Amino acid sequence: MSKYLPVRPYQPVDEYSPMIWENKKQHRINHQVQWLDDMNAMLDALDLFDGMTISFHHHLRNGDAVMNMVMEAIAQRGYKDLTVVASSIFPVHQPLVAMLRDKTVTQIIASYMSGPVARAVSEGECEAACVLQTHGGRARSILMEDICIDVAFIASCAVNHRGDISGQHGKNACGALGYVMADALMAKNVVAISDSRVEFDAPSIEYTCVDMVLMVDSIGSSSGIVSGTTQLTKDPAGLKIAHLTVDLLDALGLVKNGLTYQSGAGGISLAVTTFLKEKMKQKQVVGEFASGGITRALVEMLEEGLFNHLYDVQCFDLDAVESLKKNVNHHEISASMYANPNQLDNKVNQLDVVILGASEIDRDMNVNVTTGFDYQILGGSGGHADTSYGATWSIIVSKLVSSRIPVLVDRVTTITTPKDDIDIFVCDVGIAFAKRHQALAATLKQTTRLPIVTMEELAEISEKLCGKSLTIEHESRVVAVSEYRDGSLLDVIYQKKKGD
Amino acid sequence: MIVSKPAVAGTLESNDCYVTVLPNHSSGIQLVIRSIVMQKYGHLIEKTIREVLEEYQIEHVSLTLEDKGALDFTIKARVKTALERSV
């Protein structure tokens, strides 16, 4: 079976062409959903085969039980050579490792990968090269049929009598289901797997997309969605970076009415949001929207009238789940509406500012959030490259050195987001602008008290602190590729060296 | 200087290291280094430790360093403290 792999090399694109797409399932209004209560009956009813492509979503994050449940049943039937298109892989998905080894699964396509599966992939356990996409790129590749899904298995927090799916109801409500909407619209077969049958209006996914509903005891645990840090960082260096970033936003004139804002879920990003909130209150400004993965900090800003709208692709905590249910201006959006490059009215294109982390950045401002310095896959883009492209100002926040690991390197181990999409790097030592913004950097240096520095100056300080590092070697085999949001090839990821 | 009794210094927090020194009588210098950045900076960590040992003119010691990403000045301070405590 030939596998999906991006080949066209990445090149910067100023404007994308609009996507021409028609919802082929919307006419299926008389369509009857098949109800099942047994996994084996479901597998019998599906037309399964070796080499098929199946998909899952990660809205239950590390609390997801659906992927393991389905994969174990499929593996037991002896199917081989599957491509698993999972929006993200978490530590809970460890059973997949054995299925890579016995070739049940021979490729994984995901936007984020961590834990034992990521380790196995980095160690060369997967037969074909895996593809690491962005959230927007995943929606694009499915809607534009670069990737054709044979069966989408959708962890469904609740289903109603028609077979509509909702993320907001049921005993494991997890909120927005943004990442699975493309799968539901395009997959040849769609199975909703749910533990709660309740009535609701305004579904996340309409019954016209759903072929079967399988009722199970439990789809997992919604408490597993809480990820990253929910506490404000206590690290003084982190707090300093957050203060510097908000002062910078103010100096750039961005703390204004109509602000559109997104931030990552890391500790420093969260601190930026908290300090921005104080600044917005002080200046009495109201932002237009915040988007992306939604946390309690943003819910509070909506409820206090500091943002008019929240556009939510996934909920990062249970406060966000609750808010989506009760606040009319807290909207659930699809990954395509969020970040598909060919959906031109997407939310990321409307962003003024995005605040993001980095595990590595080079002097040109290429950023890596995919691998560690030892080539171990640790995560992936998620929406990093999508928001960086879309936002007017994409700002990377990180300590310059953390536990002797410098963030600023000569060459990033993997390019997750290309230099063309990154504007500013804020660290505990100062603020550096991309080369194309040097005139502005010079003006700010003269007219404000902001510590404006160059990437070269930062690199010098960093090397003085850490010393000169040895080059880390890798194996020659490519175990995964980093795909840009438009389907082009950004970088390859090598197998990590054995014996470490 | 002679290391005459066991001594420790440091912590296992991020950005710090934990140093243990033991008397080694007439068996020379034995180093054990474990570090989260061994592949990148193991060579520099060892160099720093050896510089301190030389400064204290120590010829016999068994030294273990458990490193959580300490910078050189931290390593130096922790090794020196452990040695001062071992007299």
Side-chain angles (χ1 to χ4, degrees):
Chain A
M1 222 44 196
S2 71
K3 296 289 187 182
Y4 170 77
L5 205 64
V7 284
R8 177 169 52 87
Y10 162 77
Q11 277 196 317
V13 176
D14 285 337
E15 260 177 76
Y16 286 101
S17 53
M19 179 177 63
I20 297 157
W21 179 82
E22 180 205 356
N23 181 353
K24 290 176 193 146
K25 292 185 181 176
Q26 69 183 337
H27 307 297
R28 306 203 303 178
I29 39 176
N30 292 322
H31 142 88
Q32 290 285 321
V33 172
Q34 189 179 354
W35 290 79
L36 299 160
D37 54 13
D38 178 68
M39 177 69 76
N40 276 311
M42 175 197 81
L43 294 183
D44 289 340
L46 287 164
D47 186 18
L48 303 177
F49 54 95
D50 288 342
M52 66 187 162
T53 298
I54 59 177
S55 87
F56 299 91
H57 74 78
H58 75 278
H59 288 279
L60 283 162
R61 302 176 70 81
N62 208 38
D64 173 52
V66 168
M67 193 195 303
N68 291 345
M69 186 193 310
V70 172
M71 288 309 300
E72 271 160 10
I74 288 178
Q76 227 167 43
R77 293 199 169 196
Y79 292 106
K80 297 287 172 194
D81 196 23
L82 270 62
T83 296
V84 171
V85 182
S87 53
S88 293
I89 304 266
F90 285 94
V92 71
H93 299 123
Q94 172 164 26
L96 227 54
V97 174
M99 298 176 204
L100 292 174
R101 289 186 185 139
D102 71 11
K103 313 281 185 232
T104 302
V105 176
T106 48
Q107 188 186 35
I108 298 171
I109 301 177
S111 305
Y112 181 97
M113 207 187 270
S114 66
V117 178
R119 227 163 14 248
V121 170
S122 289
E123 286 165 2
E125 303 263 25
C126 186
E127 185 172 283
C130 294
V131 181
L132 288 165
Q133 305 186 296
T134 72
H135 284 322
R138 180 180 195 275
R140 182 206 55 76
S141 67
I142 293 170
L143 292 173
M144 293 174 85
E145 298 179 84
D146 287 351
I147 294 174
C148 294
I149 298 167
D150 295 301
V151 191
F153 296 97
I154 301 180
S156 306
C157 307
V159 287
N160 66 12
H161 71 284
R162 289 199 307 186
D164 293 320
I165 300 171
S166 171
Q168 298 171 32
H169 303 269
K171 59 183 176 190
N172 281 301
C174 66
L177 292 181
Y179 298 131
V180 75
M181 292 177 186
D183 310 43
L185 289 165
M186 298 303 293
K188 291 186 194 111
N189 294 282
V190 173
V191 182
I193 299 179
S194 185
D195 55 13
S196 301
R197 184 168 163 166
V198 292
E199 292 312 312
F200 51 80
D201 307 317
S204 306
I205 291 160
E206 301 236 355
Y207 76 102
T208 51
C209 294
V210 179
D211 298 290
M212 292 175 207
V213 176
L214 171 67
M215 295 306 293
V216 295
D217 292 337
S218 170
I219 58 169
S221 164
S222 59
S223 58
I225 70 171
V226 179
S227 66
T229 173
T230 50
Q231 298 257 316
L232 199 62
T233 177
K234 288 193 181 98
D235 180 356
L239 292 171
K240 182 184 172 186
I241 295 165
H243 278 298
L244 271 182
T245 307
V246 173
D247 290 345
L248 171 72
L249 294 178
D250 199 18
L252 290 170
L254 292 165
V255 187
K256 60 173 191 336
N257 283 321
L259 169 70
T260 51
Y261 174 82
Q262 184 169 333
S263 86
I268 301 176
S269 303
L270 194 70
V272 173
T273 303
T274 307
F275 298 152
L276 175 67
K277 176 179 171 181
E278 287 163 23
K279 183 69 92 181
M280 287 172 76
K281 272 186 178 167
Q282 186 194 326
K283 298 191 79 166
Q284 295 186 304
V285 299
V286 176
E288 179 55 23
F289 74 77
S291 57
I294 301 298
T295 56
R296 186 175 70 187
L298 291 171
V299 168
E300 284 173 3
M301 290 175 83
L302 177 78
E303 290 177 350
E304 289 174 37
L306 292 168
F307 280 113
N308 289 331
H309 300 276
L310 296 181
Y311 292 104
D312 188 341
V313 261
Q314 77 168 320
C315 296
F316 278 145
D317 55 39
L318 297 172
D319 299 282
V321 176
E322 194 52 39
S323 165
L324 181 62
K325 212 165 154 179
K326 70 174 189 218
N327 290 320
V328 287
N329 287 337
H330 185 160
H331 315 276
E332 178 180 26
I333 58 168
S334 69
S336 183
M337 188 51 164
Y338 167 49
N340 177 353
N342 298 102
Q343 175 148 356
L344 301 188
D345 60 345
N346 68 39
K347 290 298 162 198
V348 296
N349 282 354
Q350 298 165 33
L351 284 172
D352 294 326
V353 183
V354 66
I355 309 292
L356 294 162
S359 57
E360 291 176 331
I361 185 168
D362 67 22
R363 281 172 229 199
D364 292 329
M365 293 203 177
N366 291 298
V367 171
N368 169 25
V369 292
T370 305
T371 49
F373 65 79
D374 56 356
Y375 296 87
Q376 172 62 54
I377 297 171
L378 295 174
S381 187
H384 202 288
D386 295 316
T387 50
S388 295
Y389 174 92
T392 309
W393 295 101
S394 53
I395 302 175
I396 302 296
V397 293
S398 171
K399 291 205 280 184
L400 188 60
V401 174
S402 190
S403 302
R404 205 172 186 159
I405 299 170
V407 68
L408 180 45
V409 293
D410 290 338
R411 194 186 172 286
V412 292
T413 310
T414 305
I415 301 175
T416 312
T417 299
K419 60 184 192 295
D420 314 281
D421 295 348
I422 302 294
D423 298 290
I424 304 172
F425 173 52
V426 183
C427 67
D428 36 351
V429 179
I431 301 169
F433 281 74
K435 298 256 171 359
R436 61 185 176 279
H437 298 307
Q438 282 315 307
L440 174 64
T443 309
L444 286 175
K445 195 169 183 172
Q446 279 172 5
T447 59
T448 69
R449 300 175 64 181
L450 293 170
I452 306 291
V453 292
T454 63
M455 291 299 265
E456 284 69 25
E457 286 167 333
L458 290 177
E460 211 172 291
I461 295 167
S462 176
E463 195 176 303
K464 207 181 262 174
L465 288 171
C466 298
K468 207 157 182 58
S469 100
L470 296 178
T471 311
I472 310 294
E473 289 179 7
H474 56 75
E475 304 288 339
S476 59
R477 184 166 166 234
V478 171
V479 295
V481 300
S482 172
E483 183 189 74
Y484 193 57
R485 57 201 299 261
D486 61 6
S488 60
L489 175 65
L490 256 181
D491 206 350
V492 298
I493 299 163
Y494 291 101
Q495 183 176 331
K496 84 186 260 204
K497 197 90 183 159
K498 286 196 183 82
D500 290 316
Chain B
M1 202 185 97
I2 292 165
V3 174
S4 54
K5 62 179 189 210
V8 297
T11 72
L12 289 171
E13 301 285 319
S14 294
N15 304 294
D16 201 352
C17 61
Y18 187 77
V19 181
T20 310
V21 295
L22 299 171
N24 206 22
H25 305 297
S26 49
S27 307
I29 291 170
Q30 282 177 335
L31 293 186
V32 177
I33 302 170
R34 283 187 288 267
S35 170
I36 56 165
V37 288
M38 201 65 196
Q39 295 160 281
K40 270 169 105 82
Y41 299 111
H43 62 301
L44 295 178
I45 294 169
E46 183 176 342
K47 187 165 158 254
T48 302
I49 297 169
R50 288 197 184 275
E51 275 168 14
V52 177
L53 295 179
E54 204 162 303
E55 190 187 324
Y56 278 73
Q57 297 179 331
I58 286 171
E59 286 165 6
H60 306 288
V61 67
S62 168
L63 186 151
T64 306
L65 182 126
E66 191 81 44
D67 174 48
K68 298 291 176 186
L71 296 173
D72 279 338
F73 47 75
T74 309
I75 294 172
K76 242 180 221 172
R78 295 306 192 193
V79 173
K80 280 185 181 180
T81 306
L83 291 175
E84 302 273 359
R85 286 173 177 168
S86 76
V87 183

